[in-house]
Amino acid sequence: MNDFTTRHIGTDTDDQAQMLAALGYASLDALTDAAVPEAIRLTAPLDLPAALSEFEVERHLASLAARNVPGTSMIGLGYHGTITPPVIRRTVLENPAWYTAYTPYQPEISQGRLEALANFQTMISDLTGLPVAGASLLDEGTAVAEAVAVAHRVSRKGGVVVVDANVLPQSLAVLRTRCLATGVEIVVAEDGLADAVRAHQAFAVVVQVPGADGRLPSVADLGELAALAHDNGAQLIAAADLLALTLIDAPARWGADIVVGSAQRFGVTLFYGGPHAGYIAVRQGLERQLPGRIVGLSKDADGVPAFRLALQTREQHIRREKATSNICTAQVLLAVTASCYAVHHGPEGLAAIARGVHDRARRLAAALRAGGLGLAGDAFFDTLTVEVPGRAADVVAAARASGVHLRLVDADHVGVSVGEDTGKSELAAVASAFGVTLTDAVAGGLGDHHRELDYLTHPVFHAYRSETELLRYLRTLSDRDFALDKGMIPLGSCTLKLNPAAAMEPISYPGFAGLHPFVPEADAAGYAELIGQLCDWLAEITGYDRVSLQPNAGSQGEFAGLMAIRSFHLAHGASNRTVCLIPASAHGTNAASAVMAGMRVVVVATAEDGSVDLADLAAKIEQHAADLAAVMVTYPSTHGVFEETITEICRQVHEAGGQVYVDGANLNAMLGLARPGRFGADVSHLNLHKTFAIPHGGGGPGVGPVAVREHLAPYLPNHPLVASAGPASSYGPVSAGPFGSAGVLPITWAFIALMGADGLKRAAQSAILAANYVAKRLEPAFPVLYTGASGLVAHECILDLRELTRRTGVTVDDVAKRLVDYGFHAPTMSFPVAGTLMVEPTESESRAELDRFCEAMLAIRAEMDAVADGTWPADDNPLHNAPHPASRIIAADWVHPYSRELAAYPAGVRPGPVGSGGRDKYWPSVARIDQAFGDRNLVCTCPPVAAYED
């Protein structure tokens, strides 16, 4: 192994030898030969370049970044120049306390990022004027599509959506993809929205404010449009620029029901198209239709106000094919960044930035008009579309030569968008490119728009004006969270592994971070090479023929793969093939994605050993043979087992004319050992934020590339503005960015380059070893629910607490909360089997950390036994009362039948230097949170200060 691999893998050679001995195997190869079925096992190493050192990787990535030419981007189309305050870049974006955290499903140890997301929701709600906002979506294009889906669900009329002809082109394209499968008709209002609404029985109307060409519709026209839409029973959806909303009328005031957009220009760099946080806000009455996540306010067991994810019964693994959307990953880290940007600047600062952007656009407008050039309109915020008959290409080329990127609309028109980072020299260069002279004169304005509704009135947006105070606020928030920098996060199926610093650092290089997604391809040569190599490497690792990196979440990858299958059947005249077989144990997003792709879900039973029930599968195949589109299976299975029957499943489905989709969420167990594209699968999505070291970021960014065999390659996603993003024969894009969350792709490139073929295989083997070691140690106390034919698990194991719960009354929730007192994030609870814990230790954890976890679980088992034998009452014991915040431990009255020390330090106090074994305690900031209370009393914006004084 190279130097990097030995540091990425947490167990050294001696540790592994002892762990293997405990399992009865002489080597890693012997262990994985026993665990991985021979029929799918690789017999030759992966054909990847030799592993590089960290220095070599960073030097090569620096050279690739240097081949990109970001210049000053004034292209617009939803992507704008912004300035990330250094204190936010250093203490949030580049801080592992923020980027290594997981989705806040355990709210007691997630209060920091939940508060930051509540700030985000408050910011969106205030700026749009609508009462309820979500905790971020994936990007603006998919946010528009989600809003249309919300409107369709609440509508009782028709199947037509009327769309503004001035909508962002990528948003329209993503919406077209979504509507293909659901049968919704899109009418683009080329001759005006009002006339189109009158002519069609639409359930929704989408308007862009300002439009793609920069024109700002008047308040009067927008109000009339809203009234007309409502009179016709339609919902009005506004795709609005967040910075513009600091100066123009809040959409709620003129009648918008749903407002969506992007928070990118609130301090999130361009990143060649992503990751960026989309946003959505809705009027009263639509909150329970919102896709994705909502952060709500509840209270803990002591009555202290506390945040949590609201409406959790809507989570996709519960509602499955009845889910409101397939969203799993959000863009939490980017939403946090945007909310911190608002906290940093406050309402006055945001308005000043917006006025500066608008005034610079007005100066440019005056110069262009003085030079005799026509503009698209007199009312605008930051974007001008300039008429230059026959000269557009020359103007864009002249500006590019001066270091500024403009938008080539067509042969006669050029688009110019002013950003926060546009200075006097850039304005002068743009004016010169048009052949005009910049002066202090201004022209145009906001028309009849005037912001009257106050925003960001909560004290949090006014309290942290000095960097010192903001730094302390952000540090306090991060200290309230449990992230991978504090300890192991053993979540099954989520693969919380090391995010190497050497892989993280290059994403901040200007050539990667500052590039607009629609620059000329010649100015993105470094990205093109990186993307091409990464696609080739992922194809080699998985055994598929082609890969698209566009899906910006695992759920998006699922949808893209299923749309490829749907397109394949349609191209072969089999429009009837719409049945998708999905095992009962599958990831919940699978079923939701299948429904989104226009398929009908048929559930296949699970056998007693946790595998797919082959008899039931055969019966369902026979029953639906004529209409069978696909089967979706997870491999290794969601139960953490390498099923011996996977090749037989593939054979049966293929013989019936269906395609095989293998969910790649658990690919970490197969690196260098098996390749789904070669053991029978036709398509998979991969999770780069799991297997390939992109951090989870508190719940996002995610990257979910889709990999296919050659016959499905014509149906990979494409993009309306970037030809190289995908084939012309595609159904369209699934994300707004042509290459999805391109800004974080250097992380996966670096990870693969650092590991090489041998390192990847070693990582998978070490992950399998860690899971089996934990299973072996815990089996006597907690039965391991499923194993393979060899008695081994794959990369994760399921601990069965059901009988223990029956005997003791202690639930998986109790165990999860008690683990906080021991200094751990809980494993995955009650999925895929209710009453169980699914543990995935990954390859990055040391034997010492694995043992610490096992010892904590064994101690918890002893506590459960103490409840069972009556030592502690069922309703007053360390498990029932967990977690124990400091406020409880120092309370004057201690009335529990166990000691304060046992409550707070169940593993004992470990003082002294860390290097000599000392260990500090993680203190949760709240006690156990009452989820049901929060759902009954839904509050999704920052609570007033008085709430904390009650």
Side-chain angles (χ1 to χ4, degrees):
M1 292 189 292
N2 66 14
D3 182 55
F4 172 79
T5 302
T6 60
R7 283 181 290 106
H8 173 75
I9 296 174
T11 49
D12 62 23
T13 303
D14 290 341
D15 286 332
Q16 291 192 352
Q18 294 178 51
M19 294 162 69
L20 285 163
L23 295 170
Y25 291 92
S27 67
L28 281 176
D29 287 340
L31 172 69
T32 51
D33 282 351
V36 182
E38 185 177 1
I40 69 168
R41 209 180 305 149
L42 279 180
T43 57
L46 296 172
D47 184 14
L48 295 173
L52 301 177
S53 69
E54 289 170 310
F55 173 73
E56 290 171 323
V57 161
E58 292 192 336
R59 181 172 61 183
H60 187 75
L61 284 173
S63 71
L64 290 180
R67 294 177 59 199
N68 299 321
V69 186
T72 297
S73 173
M74 298 179 69
I75 295 171
L77 288 184
Y79 302 96
H80 301 274
T82 186
I83 299 171
T84 308
V87 63
I88 295 174
R89 185 180 66 247
R90 291 280 292 168
T91 60
V92 178
L93 276 172
E94 297 176 355
N95 184 351
W98 288 97
Y99 69 68
T100 69
Y102 184 65
T103 304
Y105 291 134
Q106 293 290 334
E108 295 83 2
I109 57 176
S110 308
Q111 288 297 296
R113 83 198 84 126
L114 285 168
E115 181 171 335
L117 290 174
N119 292 345
F120 178 85
Q121 291 178 173
T122 303
M123 173 184 82
I124 299 302
S125 182
D126 283 3
L127 289 172
T128 62
L130 292 168
V132 183
S136 91
L137 295 180
L138 297 171
D139 55 37
E140 181 164 345
T142 53
V144 169
E146 295 288 352
V148 170
V150 169
H152 200 207
R153 285 194 294 274
V154 301
S155 172
R156 296 181 180 178
K157 56 168 289 186
V160 175
V161 55
V162 172
V163 179
D164 189 352
N166 214 3
V167 75
L168 298 179
Q170 66 271 23
S171 295
L172 177 59
V174 170
L175 180 60
R176 287 191 188 281
T177 297
R178 290 286 189 92
C179 291
L180 269 177
T182 57
V184 170
E185 179 187 355
I186 298 174
V187 173
V188 179
E190 300 289 354
D191 298 322
L193 277 167
D195 288 342
V197 173
R198 294 187 186 98
H200 299 276
Q201 289 295 309
F203 65 83
V205 181
V206 179
V207 60
Q208 189 84 41
V209 183
D213 65 5
R215 285 181 294 164
L216 182 60
S218 71
V219 175
D221 287 347
L222 289 168
E224 289 177 9
L225 178 65
L228 180 62
H230 294 154
D231 287 345
N232 283 271
Q235 306 291 313
L236 184 58
I237 300 166
D241 184 295
L242 209 54
L243 189 62
L245 293 183
T246 65
L247 301 182
I248 69 175
D249 256 19
R253 283 178 57 85
W254 46 259
D257 300 289
I258 308 172
V259 184
V260 295
S262 171
Q264 177 269 316
R265 66 189 313 171
F266 274 35
V268 181
T269 57
L270 292 165
F271 279 138
Y272 199 42
H276 303 140
Y279 75 83
I280 185 168
V282 298
R283 63 167 170 80
Q284 203 74 43
L286 295 181
E287 59 271 14
R288 292 181 184 268
Q289 297 295 330
L290 272 172
R293 302 177 183 135
I294 309 172
V295 173
L297 184 71
S298 186
K299 61 181 182 179
D300 75 358
D302 297 326
V304 176
F307 297 104
R308 92 288 185 232
L309 288 182
L311 307 177
Q312 286 202 84
T313 55
R314 294 195 302 98
E315 286 300 321
Q316 305 340 327
H317 68 270
I318 297 173
R319 296 204 65 184
R320 299 171 67 83
E321 69 272 15
K322 296 180 181 178
T324 54
S325 81
N326 73 334
I327 290 175
C328 183
T329 302
Q331 300 288 25
V332 171
L333 185 63
L334 297 315
V336 167
T337 299
S339 76
C340 291
Y341 180 90
V343 169
H344 174 81
H345 288 294
E348 301 86 358
L350 293 179
I353 292 169
R355 281 193 297 271
V357 165
H358 181 55
D359 289 346
R360 291 193 290 277
R362 295 179 71 207
R363 283 186 64 199
L364 186 58
L368 293 166
R369 282 193 173 161
L373 301 178
L375 303 179
D378 294 327
F380 54 82
F381 169 58
D382 65 346
T383 297
L384 309 171
T385 297
V386 189
E387 188 174 353
V388 285
R391 295 199 301 123
D394 293 337
V395 171
V396 170
R400 180 171 175 265
S402 298
V404 178
H405 290 297
L406 303 180
R407 179 189 176 202
L408 181 63
V409 180
D410 56 35
D412 303 320
H413 296 88
V414 174
V416 185
S417 290
V418 177
E420 183 186 2
D421 62 344
T422 304
K424 293 181 179 178
S425 61
E426 288 82 14
L427 281 182
V430 171
S432 176
F434 280 102
V436 302
T437 302
L438 195 69
T439 68
D440 290 332
V442 297
L446 298 174
D448 63 349
H449 283 269
H450 177 69
R451 180 82 195 197
E452 295 183 1
L453 194 65
D454 288 339
Y455 55 90
L456 305 190
T457 58
H458 191 276
V460 75
F461 299 106
H462 299 264
Y464 306 107
R465 288 294 171 269
S466 77
E467 183 169 323
T468 302
E469 290 301 313
L470 182 61
L471 181 71
R472 290 171 182 162
Y473 174 63
L474 296 176
R475 173 60 186 267
T476 301
L477 292 184
S478 65
D479 282 348
R480 290 187 166 197
D481 284 4
F482 191 97
L484 204 63
D485 66 329
K486 290 185 173 73
M488 181 168 70
I489 303 180
L491 280 154
S493 195
C494 292
T495 317
L496 272 293
K497 62 165 69 178
L498 171 70
N499 314 122
M504 296 296 297
E505 185 178 6
I507 71 172
S508 296
Y509 295 164
F512 289 138
L515 197 68
H516 193 286
F518 305 146
V519 297
E521 292 192 20
D523 292 326
Y527 258 121
E529 182 174 331
L530 181 145
I531 288 168
Q533 289 178 340
L534 186 52
C535 286
D536 289 344
W537 293 351
L538 292 174
E540 171 63 19
I541 290 166
T542 60
Y544 289 105
D545 299 304
R546 296 287 185 274
V547 174
S548 169
L549 299 173
Q550 188 182 113
N552 53 6
S555 57
Q556 296 292 87
E558 291 175 4
F559 176 65
L562 290 165
M563 286 295 289
I565 290 173
R566 176 184 180 278
S567 300
F568 173 80
H569 288 310
L570 288 173
H572 288 78
S575 59
N576 58 296
R577 288 192 175 272
T578 59
V579 169
C580 186
L581 303 179
I582 300 182
S585 63
H587 291 108
T589 56
N590 287 176
S593 296
V595 171
M596 281 176 53
M599 295 183 182
R600 180 162 61 92
V601 173
V602 173
V603 177
V604 177
T606 300
E608 288 188 10
D609 63 358
S611 63
V612 175
D613 186 324
L614 286 186
D616 190 52
L617 175 69
K620 297 290 172 59
I621 289 175
E622 182 179 2
Q623 180 183 354
H624 300 285
D627 300 322
L628 181 61
V631 66
M632 293 186 81
V633 294
T634 301
Y635 200 81
S637 73
T638 312
H639 293 126
V641 175
F642 284 102
E643 295 183 17
E644 300 278 345
T645 58
I646 184 63
T647 54
E648 176 62 16
I649 292 171
C650 294
R651 184 191 64 77
Q652 289 187 30
V653 172
H654 284 148
E655 286 184 355
Q659 298 285 289
V660 177
Y661 187 110
V662 168
D663 185 316
N666 298 337
L667 185 68
N668 201 54
M670 291 194 289
L671 297 175
L673 300 175
R675 302 194 293 172
R678 288 294 178 265
F679 62 61
D682 300 289
V683 56
S684 290
H685 86 271
L686 323 175
N687 294 96
L688 301 193
H689 52 289
K690 294 183 181 182
T691 302
F692 294 100
I694 290 177
H696 283 68
V703 184
V706 59
V708 298
R709 295 301 303 270
E710 195 64 52
H711 65 282
L712 295 179
Y715 315 112
L716 288 173
N718 66 9
H719 197 275
L721 300 176
V722 179
S724 61
S729 51
S730 171
Y731 48 78
V734 296
S735 304
F739 301 101
S741 294
V744 292
L745 295 179
I747 300 171
T748 293
W749 188 98
F751 179 67
I752 296 173
L754 288 163
M755 296 292 282
D758 291 341
L760 292 176
K761 179 181 178 182
R762 186 81 172 192
Q765 291 180 309
S766 300
I768 293 170
L769 172 62
N772 279 282
Y773 178 72
V774 168
K776 180 74 171 180
R777 283 210 60 187
L778 296 182
E779 170 75 26
F782 300 97
V784 174
L785 190 55
Y786 300 117
T787 60
S790 59
L792 297 169
V793 298
H795 59 301
E796 61 193 11
C797 60
I798 296 178
L799 306 179
D800 191 355
L801 275 67
R802 290 174 296 182
E803 176 60 22
L804 288 168
T805 297
R806 188 190 64 78
R807 288 197 298 106
T808 67
V810 177
T811 67
V812 289
D813 292 77
D814 295 330
V815 174
K817 307 310 179 186
R818 184 57 170 155
L819 276 168
V820 176
D821 294 329
Y822 283 87
F824 285 101
H825 192 296
T828 301
M829 298 190 305
S830 292
F831 176 80
V833 180
T836 67
L837 293 173
M838 183 162 59
V839 181
E840 181 179 1
T842 85
E843 74 272 14
S844 294
E845 298 299 339
S846 67
R847 183 186 174 193
E849 187 72 350
L850 298 178
D851 283 336
R852 190 173 76 88
F853 173 74
C854 291
E855 286 154 10
M857 288 296 294
L858 294 172
I860 286 172
R861 170 58 197 268
E863 293 177 349
M864 296 174 76
D865 290 341
V867 175
D869 66 20
T871 301
W872 294 320
D875 60 351
D876 190 8
N877 59 72
L879 295 138
H880 181 271
N881 296 331
H884 296 82
S887 58
R888 281 192 161 187
I889 301 302
I890 65 172
D893 297 323
W894 184 262
V895 296
H896 305 294
Y898 54 96
S899 70
R900 298 177 195 255
E901 183 177 354
L902 179 64
Y905 291 94
V909 180
R910 301 280 291 276
V914 177
S916 301
R919 189 175 187 93
D920 295 338
K921 175 178 172 55
Y922 167 76
W923 288 99
S925 59
V926 294
R928 193 176 307 195
I929 292 172
D930 188 337
Q931 300 276 22
F933 174 87
D935 283 348
R936 291 193 305 269
N937 304 275
L938 189 61
V939 177
C940 299
T941 54
C942 294
V945 175
Y948 296 97
E949 299 172 351
D950 292 342

